[in-house]
Amino acid sequence: MSNDDPIGLFDSGIGGLSVLQRIREVLPHENVIYVSDAGHLPYGDKPRAYIEKRCFSLTDFLIQNKAKAIVVACNTATAAAIETLRGVYTLPVIGVEPGVKPGLAVTQTGVVGILATTETLKSRKFENLVSRFCNDCKVVVQECPGLVEQIEHMDLSGEKTVSLVKRYVASLLDQGADTLVLGCTHYPLISDLIESVAGNRVRVIDTGFAVAREVVRRLTEAELLSTAEKPGTEIFWTTGNLDKMEKLVNYFWNKPSEVKALCQAGETGNPKR
Ligand code: DGL
């Protein structure tokens, strides 16, 4: 393994780009391979065992492509599989989790609202996270079916997206939340909409920076930080539709990048054009 090998990231779709954006800000020289598992999206309503299997398959792919560290840029996948992944692989495996602690640190009403997928909210990992940090405060939760799909369809401000966001945000505000935690990596991609629906008295928490800092810490500890002086590159892979991925990358990444189809053995999907 060498310092100039890439960092591997994966998500069920394009959501992990909200994490990659933050990583890029602190690590401009790292090469990156990103996999969108859009052929299997959404993870949020799938059984844990299914998500775990996907995580192993994508991690193996990233390691075959020389990843020196893995960022599980998905709350749902982290909740389902991070411990098992860490038990199997020896390279640094970094996950993401809803920012319960930062939310509790800033709430004035003592009520923090979490927006996340069904699978994240029902996970043991999330239950432990809340019980670890929440003593005299209250954490209220809202699952958000349909929202990830709207973002993947690049419908960021259409009628259906706005109405889903209004419904999910209102349910948390009605329970007294003054702080909203974005517990799914897709949601920061529509943080403007979420903030405008919630109003300017509500704090919206995203953990992308915290994850980026953790990536720096783990690479430093493993002596694996890139020594390159030129800007790092990104290669994007998708298990879903290649044209769609190209459009999403153009829109959200906004920088000429290589986008490739990932066909895995035993898969029946047709990610080709
Ligand atoms: N970005 C994923 C997360 O952070 C979305 C999960 C899904 O595909 O439902 O949870």
Side-chain angles (χ1 to χ4, degrees):
M1 196 179 288
S2 115
N3 293 61
D4 295 322
D5 286 341
I7 300 173
L9 275 86
F10 72 85
D11 177 44
S12 62
I14 206 72
L17 282 193
S18 69
V19 179
L20 180 55
Q21 277 156 357
R22 300 308 187 195
I23 292 176
R24 257 295 162 252
E25 287 169 39
V26 293
L27 293 170
H29 305 294
E30 297 290 341
N31 294 324
V32 167
I33 316 178
Y34 181 103
V35 184
S36 154
D37 198 16
H40 300 263
L41 177 127
Y43 282 178
D45 60 6
K46 304 270 189 327
R48 182 191 158 144
Y50 181 94
I51 302 168
E52 204 172 74
K53 206 164 151 214
R54 293 306 307 150
C55 290
F56 275 99
S57 169
L58 300 176
T59 301
D60 284 341
F61 172 78
L62 289 168
I63 291 173
Q64 279 154 22
N65 283 273
K66 303 188 78 168
K68 63 182 174 184
I70 303 293
V71 180
V72 182
C74 173
N75 291 263
T76 314
T78 300
I82 196 99
E83 262 107 44
T84 332
L85 292 173
R86 285 183 179 141
V88 170
Y89 300 101
T90 52
L91 80 178
V93 180
I94 298 121
V96 302
E97 60 185 16
V100 171
K101 191 178 171 198
L104 289 167
V106 298
T107 177
Q108 303 279 312
T109 58
V111 185
V112 172
I114 316 282
L115 296 161
T117 67
T118 309
E119 202 52 37
T120 296
L121 294 175
K122 70 178 207 218
S123 67
R124 176 68 59 84
K125 195 160 188 344
F126 180 70
E127 194 187 309
N128 291 342
L129 183 67
V130 173
S131 59
R132 185 146 46 102
F133 295 115
C134 184
N135 300 316
D136 50 356
C137 290
K138 194 168 150 197
V139 168
V140 291
V141 302
Q142 177 62 50
E143 55 190 327
C144 306
L147 200 50
V148 161
E149 291 91 322
Q150 289 303 108
I151 297 166
E152 291 283 328
H153 289 143
M154 271 176 63
D155 182 348
L156 310 180
S157 56
E159 207 181 313
K160 183 168 177 203
T161 307
V162 173
S163 106
L164 288 175
V165 169
K166 280 188 176 162
R167 174 145 49 97
Y168 298 147
V169 166
S171 124
L172 296 174
L173 300 190
D174 289 350
Q175 295 174 76
D178 67 342
T179 304
L180 298 182
V181 171
L182 306 183
C184 165
T185 54
H186 279 75
Y187 307 161
L189 300 176
I190 53 161
S191 59
D192 288 351
L193 172 63
I194 295 173
E195 280 166 14
S196 83
V197 166
N200 52 16
R201 293 166 71 177
V202 173
R203 297 283 295 267
V204 175
I205 308 271
D206 162 26
T207 52
F209 268 128
V211 177
R213 282 196 299 270
E214 181 63 7
V215 174
V216 174
R217 193 186 73 75
R218 295 290 301 278
L219 289 181
T220 309
E221 195 178 73
E223 299 185 355
L224 279 173
L225 279 172
S226 168
T227 53
E229 283 174 11
K230 58 181 193 325
T233 58
E234 301 85 26
I235 303 176
F236 295 97
W237 291 87
T238 182
T239 60
N241 180 281
L242 186 56
D243 282 339
K244 194 170 172 189
M245 182 66 177
E246 277 172 352
K247 289 195 184 86
L248 285 162
V249 170
N250 271 339
Y251 184 81
F252 287 111
W253 196 245
N254 196 17
K255 176 178 148 190
S257 313
E258 211 176 333
V259 183
K260 297 181 177 187
L262 168 54
C263 299
Q264 292 178 306
E267 297 286 326
T268 49
N270 177 21
K272 295 215 176 68
R273 285 166 205 274

Short mmCIF file of all heavy atoms in Angstrom, two decimals, residues 157-180:
data_model
loop_
_atom_site.label_atom_id
_atom_site.label_comp_id
_atom_site.label_asym_id
_atom_site.label_seq_id
_atom_site.Cartn_x
_atom_site.Cartn_y
_atom_site.Cartn_z
N SER A 157 -35.88 20.76 -6.13
CA SER A 157 -36.76 21.82 -5.63
C SER A 157 -38.15 21.74 -6.24
O SER A 157 -38.92 22.70 -6.18
CB SER A 157 -36.13 23.18 -5.92
OG SER A 157 -35.86 23.28 -7.30
N GLY A 158 -38.48 20.60 -6.87
CA GLY A 158 -39.80 20.43 -7.47
C GLY A 158 -40.88 20.24 -6.40
O GLY A 158 -40.58 20.08 -5.21
N GLU A 159 -42.12 20.19 -6.89
CA GLU A 159 -43.27 20.13 -5.97
C GLU A 159 -43.22 18.94 -5.01
O GLU A 159 -43.42 19.09 -3.80
CB GLU A 159 -44.51 20.01 -6.86
CG GLU A 159 -45.77 20.56 -6.23
CD GLU A 159 -46.94 20.39 -7.19
OE1 GLU A 159 -46.79 20.72 -8.38
OE2 GLU A 159 -47.96 19.87 -6.74
N LYS A 160 -42.90 17.76 -5.57
CA LYS A 160 -42.91 16.56 -4.72
C LYS A 160 -41.81 16.63 -3.65
O LYS A 160 -42.04 16.30 -2.48
CB LYS A 160 -42.75 15.31 -5.59
CG LYS A 160 -42.84 14.04 -4.77
CD LYS A 160 -42.97 12.79 -5.59
CE LYS A 160 -42.98 11.57 -4.66
NZ LYS A 160 -42.59 10.36 -5.34
N THR A 161 -40.62 17.07 -4.07
CA THR A 161 -39.50 17.17 -3.13
C THR A 161 -39.83 18.17 -2.02
O THR A 161 -39.64 17.88 -0.83
CB THR A 161 -38.21 17.61 -3.88
OG1 THR A 161 -38.03 16.72 -4.98
CG2 THR A 161 -37.00 17.57 -2.98
N VAL A 162 -40.35 19.32 -2.42
CA VAL A 162 -40.68 20.35 -1.42
C VAL A 162 -41.74 19.83 -0.46
O VAL A 162 -41.64 20.00 0.76
CB VAL A 162 -41.16 21.65 -2.12
CG1 VAL A 162 -41.67 22.66 -1.10
CG2 VAL A 162 -40.04 22.26 -2.95
N SER A 163 -42.73 19.11 -1.00
CA SER A 163 -43.79 18.66 -0.10
C SER A 163 -43.29 17.57 0.85
O SER A 163 -43.67 17.54 2.03
CB SER A 163 -45.04 18.28 -0.90
OG SER A 163 -45.20 16.91 -0.95
N LEU A 164 -42.38 16.70 0.40
CA LEU A 164 -41.80 15.70 1.32
C LEU A 164 -41.00 16.40 2.42
O LEU A 164 -41.14 16.10 3.60
CB LEU A 164 -40.86 14.74 0.56
CG LEU A 164 -41.50 13.71 -0.37
CD1 LEU A 164 -40.41 12.93 -1.12
CD2 LEU A 164 -42.37 12.73 0.41
N VAL A 165 -40.18 17.37 2.02
CA VAL A 165 -39.34 18.07 3.00
C VAL A 165 -40.23 18.81 4.01
O VAL A 165 -40.00 18.74 5.23
CB VAL A 165 -38.35 19.05 2.31
CG1 VAL A 165 -37.68 19.98 3.31
CG2 VAL A 165 -37.29 18.27 1.54
N LYS A 166 -41.28 19.47 3.52
CA LYS A 166 -42.18 20.19 4.43
C LYS A 166 -42.79 19.23 5.45
O LYS A 166 -42.84 19.53 6.63
CB LYS A 166 -43.31 20.87 3.63
CG LYS A 166 -42.87 22.17 3.00
CD LYS A 166 -44.06 22.88 2.39
CE LYS A 166 -43.63 24.22 1.84
NZ LYS A 166 -44.59 24.77 0.89
N ARG A 167 -43.25 18.08 4.96
CA ARG A 167 -43.90 17.11 5.86
C ARG A 167 -42.92 16.59 6.92
O ARG A 167 -43.23 16.57 8.10
CB ARG A 167 -44.46 15.95 5.01
CG ARG A 167 -45.04 14.81 5.80
CD ARG A 167 -46.23 14.18 5.09
NE ARG A 167 -45.98 13.85 3.70
CZ ARG A 167 -45.62 12.63 3.26
NH1 ARG A 167 -45.44 11.65 4.13
NH2 ARG A 167 -45.43 12.41 1.98
N TYR A 168 -41.71 16.22 6.47
CA TYR A 168 -40.75 15.62 7.41
C TYR A 168 -40.23 16.65 8.42
O TYR A 168 -40.10 16.36 9.61
CB TYR A 168 -39.59 14.99 6.63
CG TYR A 168 -40.03 13.85 5.70
CD1 TYR A 168 -39.37 13.62 4.49
CD2 TYR A 168 -41.10 13.04 6.04
CE1 TYR A 168 -39.79 12.58 3.65
CE2 TYR A 168 -41.52 12.00 5.19
CZ TYR A 168 -40.86 11.79 4.01
OH TYR A 168 -41.26 10.77 3.17
N VAL A 169 -39.96 17.85 7.93
CA VAL A 169 -39.44 18.89 8.83
C VAL A 169 -40.52 19.31 9.83
O VAL A 169 -40.26 19.43 11.04
CB VAL A 169 -38.92 20.10 8.00
CG1 VAL A 169 -38.69 21.32 8.88
CG2 VAL A 169 -37.63 19.72 7.26
N ALA A 170 -41.75 19.49 9.34
CA ALA A 170 -42.84 19.94 10.22
C ALA A 170 -43.06 18.95 11.36
O ALA A 170 -43.28 19.34 12.51
CB ALA A 170 -44.13 20.11 9.42
N SER A 171 -42.95 17.67 11.06
CA SER A 171 -43.20 16.68 12.12
C SER A 171 -42.18 16.83 13.26
O SER A 171 -42.53 16.67 14.43
CB SER A 171 -43.19 15.28 11.51
OG SER A 171 -42.26 14.45 12.13
N LEU A 172 -40.95 17.19 12.94
CA LEU A 172 -39.93 17.38 13.99
C LEU A 172 -40.11 18.71 14.71
O LEU A 172 -40.00 18.78 15.95
CB LEU A 172 -38.53 17.27 13.38
CG LEU A 172 -38.19 15.89 12.80
CD1 LEU A 172 -36.85 15.91 12.08
CD2 LEU A 172 -38.18 14.81 13.88
N LEU A 173 -40.41 19.77 13.96
CA LEU A 173 -40.60 21.08 14.59
C LEU A 173 -41.83 21.05 15.50
O LEU A 173 -41.82 21.64 16.59
CB LEU A 173 -40.74 22.19 13.54
CG LEU A 173 -39.56 22.38 12.57
CD1 LEU A 173 -39.72 23.66 11.75
CD2 LEU A 173 -38.22 22.39 13.28
N ASP A 174 -42.88 20.33 15.06
CA ASP A 174 -44.09 20.23 15.88
C ASP A 174 -43.82 19.55 17.23
O ASP A 174 -44.56 19.74 18.18
CB ASP A 174 -45.18 19.43 15.15
CG ASP A 174 -45.76 20.21 13.98
OD1 ASP A 174 -45.47 21.42 13.87
OD2 ASP A 174 -46.50 19.61 13.17
N GLN A 175 -42.75 18.76 17.27
CA GLN A 175 -42.41 18.09 18.54
C GLN A 175 -41.42 18.92 19.36
O GLN A 175 -40.86 18.45 20.34
CB GLN A 175 -41.82 16.71 18.26
CG GLN A 175 -42.83 15.76 17.61
CD GLN A 175 -42.17 14.45 17.21
OE1 GLN A 175 -41.89 13.60 18.05
NE2 GLN A 175 -41.90 14.28 15.93
N GLY A 176 -41.18 20.18 18.92
CA GLY A 176 -40.36 21.09 19.72
C GLY A 176 -38.90 21.18 19.32
O GLY A 176 -38.10 21.88 19.97
N ALA A 177 -38.50 20.49 18.24
CA ALA A 177 -37.09 20.53 17.84
C ALA A 177 -36.71 21.94 17.34
O ALA A 177 -37.47 22.55 16.59
CB ALA A 177 -36.82 19.50 16.75
N ASP A 178 -35.55 22.43 17.78
CA ASP A 178 -35.02 23.69 17.23
C ASP A 178 -33.73 23.40 16.47
O ASP A 178 -33.04 24.31 16.01
CB ASP A 178 -34.76 24.70 18.35
CG ASP A 178 -33.63 24.26 19.27
OD1 ASP A 178 -33.28 23.05 19.27
OD2 ASP A 178 -33.09 25.11 20.00
N THR A 179 -33.36 22.12 16.40
CA THR A 179 -32.12 21.70 15.74
C THR A 179 -32.43 20.46 14.92
O THR A 179 -33.05 19.53 15.43
CB THR A 179 -31.05 21.36 16.81
OG1 THR A 179 -30.90 22.50 17.66
CG2 THR A 179 -29.72 20.99 16.20
N LEU A 180 -32.01 20.48 13.65
CA LEU A 180 -32.27 19.32 12.78
C LEU A 180 -30.94 18.72 12.35
O LEU A 180 -30.07 19.42 11.83
CB LEU A 180 -33.05 19.74 11.53
CG LEU A 180 -34.45 20.33 11.74
CD1 LEU A 180 -35.09 20.65 10.38
CD2 LEU A 180 -35.34 19.37 12.52
#
